[in-house]
Amino acid sequence: MPIATVDPATGRTLKTFEPMDAAAVEERIARAESAFREHRETDFATRAALMRAAADLLDSERDTIARTMTTEMGKTLAAARAEAAKCAKAMRWYADRAEGLLADEHPDPADVADSGAHRAVVRYRPLGVVLAVMPWNFPLWQVIRFAAPALMAGNTGLLKHASNVPQTALYLGDLFHRAGFPEGCFQTLLIGSGAVEDVVRDPRVAAATLTGSEGAGRAVAAAAGDAIKPTVLELGGSDPFVVMPSAAAELDAAASTAVTARVQNNGQSCIAAKRFIVHEDVYDAFAERFVAAMERLTVGDPTAESTDVGPVSTEQGRADLEELVQDALSRGAEALCGGHRPAALPDGWYYEPTVLAGVTDAMRIHREEAFGPVATLYRVPDLDAAVALANDTPFGLSSNVWTRDADEQRRFARDLEAGGVFFNGMTASHPALPFGGVKRSGYGRELSAQGIRAFCNVTTVWFGR
């Protein structure tokens, strides 16, 4: 795949970039290792001041970088501005809290006395150079939620971003340098996927994190595992959105939230709700509201303020989406709305917001992630069936449940196979909450205390009597 900005609203290639050669990559790895030796010695107050400066820069340039993101991957301008604001918030969150999250821990001396210790300390120390392999769908947020905690912990970072967002990648590589971080603390590598393994295996690279496809996750994890290096993986998702009868009085809110949960980021989000599992007692009423709201969405130019849903990011992405929908329709599913390219938008990679009913396990979309504005709608008879269907997926990133019944909430919280369970709302990532999944959605956690400790050497310091 070429490293290029291709506007998904028009299909036109706007700018291309030459991949870095081996010498350029070597120079950046060496610079990252050298920067780590300096950066790890800085105190938290110094790192926090630099991180806040980077957040201030991002805030001041929000409109410019938002337009770049929209041009490169098609998200609406409103969504792009919100993403930039969220990134600045997370940067300040870690600037304010990193010292406390990584504070030394002091076990009770009585607990360690029989080891011969007078006292002991648990300390969190940075690992070194961390490689981040990041996707295009949230081209700022996916990077910042790694970079902010990693830099605040004293690590340095190398970014291999998706090849269709090179200008956003270069912006990120420059942002932290302009904020005052030592040269080499955070750098972008403009390289193709074929060059990633050599970087992972380089002995100066201490760890890797990847958000992306299962295939990419397997490749990076295999290389890192062979080199005995830690990884964090956030892969695909096919999150359930369950609606139970106890939420009957809130169906308007549930349906409205369901639409946002499905079409956020033009439907291209790992944590977007994709499978809508509705109890038969409220199925008809929910479906009517949900489909009507999906049909009201405005599809079009992502730079227009009136647009709700922009284009899918790549031509191949739309083709993949179309294949999933056509497979389902050919096997008996019904399109309650959508199911086609919008005729009024012949240029660009647009797809109509779509709701499929009558989906069975014989259809690919029942098992595979639909990365675009396509929802599957299921009817279930009871709670047991809802839990079973919600778990009938190879993924386990997050989940959404609408119920006001406390017993049902306990059951869903206990039995759903996912990294998160969100009641009466929509899954969202937040700096204070751990984020990640189970099963083929990956392993490890980003954000919160877990995220900043993910790339730390948890060191036991023992003092004899």
Side-chain angles (χ1 to χ4, degrees):
M1 182 177 183
I3 300 176
T5 297
V6 182
D7 187 349
T10 64
R12 292 197 298 267
T13 299
L14 303 180
K15 197 169 185 178
T16 59
F17 298 81
E18 284 297 319
M20 292 176 177
D21 60 19
V25 173
E26 160 61 29
E27 178 185 355
R28 282 159 178 78
I29 295 175
R31 193 182 297 154
E33 183 189 39
S34 176
F36 171 64
R37 304 300 169 193
E38 176 184 351
H39 185 55
R40 69 177 180 178
E41 298 298 329
T42 58
D43 57 29
F44 283 106
T46 298
R47 295 176 202 166
L50 295 173
M51 187 62 65
R52 292 188 190 101
D56 290 345
L57 270 176
L58 181 54
D59 271 340
S60 70
E61 298 164 353
R62 182 184 308 166
D63 287 344
T64 301
I65 189 58
R67 191 163 291 276
T68 299
M69 287 191 283
T70 295
T71 300
E72 291 201 306
M73 59 71 56
K75 68 170 73 242
T76 65
L77 272 177
R81 293 189 197 102
E83 181 174 339
K86 182 175 183 176
C87 289
K89 176 182 177 180
M91 294 159 79
R92 295 187 180 100
W93 192 90
Y94 274 109
D96 293 343
R97 294 168 177 80
E99 185 171 11
L101 296 173
L102 298 180
D104 289 351
E105 297 173 4
H106 300 273
D108 188 329
D111 286 342
V112 297
D114 60 357
S115 74
H118 169 64
R119 64 186 178 93
V121 180
V122 178
R123 183 162 293 167
Y124 295 94
R125 298 159 55 209
L127 283 180
V129 181
V130 182
L131 171 67
V133 182
M134 293 288 111
W136 48 262
N137 57 335
F138 290 94
L140 274 186
W141 173 242
Q142 304 278 16
V143 177
I144 293 298
R145 74 185 193 192
F146 144 75
L151 289 170
M152 284 303 304
N155 295 297
T156 58
L158 293 171
L159 169 64
K160 189 284 183 218
H161 218 324
S163 293
N164 61 329
V165 291
Q167 294 185 70
T168 305
L170 291 170
Y171 173 83
L172 283 159
D174 188 49
L175 175 67
F176 294 104
H177 177 68
R178 289 189 291 127
F181 280 88
E183 184 177 4
C185 269
F186 195 87
Q187 302 169 91
T188 288
L189 303 178
L190 283 186
I191 57 176
S193 58
V196 170
E197 182 174 344
D198 287 344
V199 181
V200 173
R201 291 182 178 276
D202 191 290
R204 293 165 294 183
V205 173
T209 180
L210 177 142
T211 299
S213 69
E214 292 177 60
R218 289 191 187 97
V220 167
D226 189 56
I228 317 178
K229 298 178 182 181
T231 52
V232 171
L233 301 182
E234 193 260 280
L235 308 178
S238 191
D239 290 4
F241 189 106
V242 181
V243 183
M244 298 297 289
S246 62
E250 300 168 289
L251 288 187
D252 286 340
S256 176
T257 303
V259 172
T260 303
R262 177 64 286 237
V263 303
Q264 60 174 313
N265 206 44
N266 305 341
Q268 300 166 120
S269 170
C270 294
I271 58 168
K274 300 182 177 78
R275 299 176 299 127
F276 296 83
I277 299 167
V278 186
H279 191 283
E280 60 187 11
D281 289 354
V282 291
Y283 177 91
D284 290 337
F286 175 85
E288 179 182 4
R289 290 166 169 79
F290 182 49
V291 173
M294 290 283 276
E295 289 180 316
R296 286 194 297 269
L297 294 170
T298 299
V299 181
D301 180 359
T303 65
E305 296 296 339
S306 60
T307 294
D308 299 309
V309 181
V312 176
S313 68
T314 66
E315 188 172 18
Q316 184 60 53
R318 183 175 64 177
D320 292 343
L321 197 64
E322 289 177 320
E323 286 183 11
L324 286 179
V325 172
Q326 289 307 311
D327 173 77
L329 294 176
S330 71
R331 297 174 186 274
E334 177 187 4
L336 302 183
C337 66
H340 304 282
R341 302 180 183 187
L345 297 166
D347 299 322
W349 301 313
Y350 295 94
Y351 198 77
E352 295 176 346
T354 299
V355 179
L356 299 178
V359 173
T360 70
D361 59 10
M363 302 169 189
R364 287 175 53 198
I365 201 167
H366 182 76
R367 296 284 180 190
E368 299 179 32
E369 181 179 20
F371 220 57
V374 175
T376 52
L377 187 59
Y378 298 84
R379 184 195 302 261
V380 291
D382 53 34
L383 184 148
D384 288 341
V387 170
L389 183 55
N391 290 338
D392 188 23
T393 173
F395 302 106
L397 194 52
S398 191
S399 59
N400 314 259
V401 182
W402 283 69
T403 174
R404 291 297 175 181
D405 184 289
D407 289 336
E408 289 181 348
Q409 290 177 351
R410 282 189 286 271
R411 173 74 185 281
F412 281 113
R414 184 192 71 185
D415 291 349
L416 287 181
E417 297 167 354
V421 183
F422 285 67
F423 288 108
N424 307 314
M426 187 182 86
T427 293
S429 53
H430 187 280
L433 301 173
F435 181 84
V438 296
K439 300 195 287 189
R440 280 164 51 186
S441 288
Y443 54 76
R445 292 296 181 267
E446 297 177 292
L447 302 175
S448 74
Q450 284 89 340
I452 197 170
R453 294 171 181 171
F455 297 116
C456 285
N457 174 8
V458 185
T459 309
T460 296
V461 183
W462 185 95
F463 297 89
R465 295 183 180 279

